[in-house]
Amino acid sequence: ALGNLRTVGGRIEISGNAALTHLDGLANIEEVGRNLLIQNNAALARVTGFSNLTRLDANLNFQDNAALESIDGFQSLASVGESLTVTGNTSLEAVSPLPSLTNVGGDLNISSNDMLLKVNFLPNLTTVGGNLNITSNLNLTAVEGLASVSSIGGDLHLDKNDSLINLDGLTGITEIPGNFYLGWNDALVEINGLKNLSLISGDVIVDDNDELTNLDGLESLTRVDGTFFILSNASIKQID
């Protein structure tokens, strides 16, 4: 019914449609003036299309779609003006790469996606203007798909990712203008992915990472402007 729709001057919000299973009729959208919000659609199993959308001036949200298993499309999207949020999609297993996306102007939020194994869909993202939050993804093992990120504008939060083993993929980050929180990552064994981090302008909290044995990987860190907390990490035996 909407196969000929190309442009929406305001926002697109698809929310609270309990029986909705797909969005194939929006595959030809080329321009959205504000937010694109896909959230709280209990039966939505896949998101496809939007392959001609090159720019979004506001927020892109995939949130609380309990049956969503895959996101496929957005191959031409180069910039998100505000935040990119992928959160609360408890069945999400895969997000196809967004190869053109280089800039997120606000926060990047990837959280509470219980089946997501890897953050590998942002291969060319270089800039996050706000906070980078990767939290509460129960089966997430790796974040190597963030290897191109060289600049964030706020906090870095990595917490409650129960299966995350290392931080490989964060080697491009040299400064954190806000706070750094690393906590409750039960399988995390090493943090060598932070080897190029030299400055943290806020607080540092390393808290309750049960398998972390040392802080090797912070050798380049020369300055923390806030408070440095190392709390309840059961396996850390020494701080060299």
Side-chain angles (χ1 to χ4, degrees):
L2 297 176
N4 292 317
L5 184 63
R6 299 291 188 273
T7 302
V8 175
R11 74 178 183 180
I12 296 177
E13 180 172 352
I14 303 168
S15 177
N17 302 286
L20 182 68
T21 59
H22 65 81
L23 307 175
D24 294 355
L26 298 176
N28 294 316
I29 291 286
E30 298 175 358
E31 183 177 346
V32 180
R34 290 297 297 164
N35 300 314
L36 175 52
L37 310 176
I38 301 170
Q39 53 199 32
N40 295 300
N41 301 288
L44 184 63
R46 68 180 189 275
V47 174
T48 60
F50 299 96
S51 59
N52 295 317
L53 183 65
T54 60
R55 172 180 167 183
L56 192 63
D57 290 337
N59 298 292
L60 177 57
N61 285 16
F62 306 94
Q63 187 168 353
D64 296 328
N65 302 288
L68 185 63
E69 297 179 356
S70 66
I71 300 172
D72 184 13
F74 300 92
Q75 294 93 338
S76 300
L77 184 64
S79 175
V80 175
E82 296 181 14
S83 294
L84 171 57
T85 297
V86 182
T87 185
N89 305 290
T90 52
S91 300
L92 184 64
E93 298 178 0
V95 180
S96 294
L98 284 66
S100 300
L101 187 61
T102 59
N103 178 70
V104 172
D107 296 343
L108 174 58
N109 303 306
I110 303 172
S111 64
S112 301
N113 304 291
D114 293 351
M115 301 303 293
L116 190 65
L117 298 179
K118 295 182 178 181
V119 177
N120 58 0
F121 51 91
L122 299 167
N124 296 309
L125 181 67
T126 61
T127 303
V128 177
N131 302 324
L132 174 52
N133 301 314
I134 302 177
T135 65
S136 301
N137 301 286
L138 297 182
N139 287 298
L140 185 70
T141 61
V143 294
E144 73 267 18
L146 297 173
S148 295
V149 175
S150 58
S151 175
I152 66 173
D155 298 341
L156 175 59
H157 287 262
L158 301 164
D159 62 277
K160 298 180 181 177
N161 301 291
D162 291 353
S163 303
L164 186 64
I165 297 171
N166 60 55
L167 303 183
D168 294 355
L170 301 181
T171 55
I173 298 176
T174 59
E175 298 182 6
I176 299 174
N179 301 311
F180 174 43
Y181 181 65
L182 182 69
W184 299 90
N185 301 289
D186 293 344
L188 187 68
V189 296
E190 52 98 348
I191 57 173
N192 291 319
L194 300 175
K195 64 182 181 181
N196 294 315
L197 181 62
S198 62
L199 169 64
I200 300 172
S201 297
D203 296 336
V204 178
I205 303 175
V206 181
D207 181 17
D208 277 283
N209 302 285
D210 290 343
E211 298 298 320
L212 188 64
T213 60
N214 58 62
L215 297 181
D216 294 354
L218 295 179
E219 290 86 351
S220 296
L221 185 62
T222 60
R223 176 175 166 182
V224 173
D225 288 342
T227 303
F228 202 138
F229 297 94
I230 303 171
L231 307 171
S232 302
N233 299 282
S235 299
I236 291 183
K237 297 179 179 179
Q238 56 192 22
I239 299 175
D240 295 327

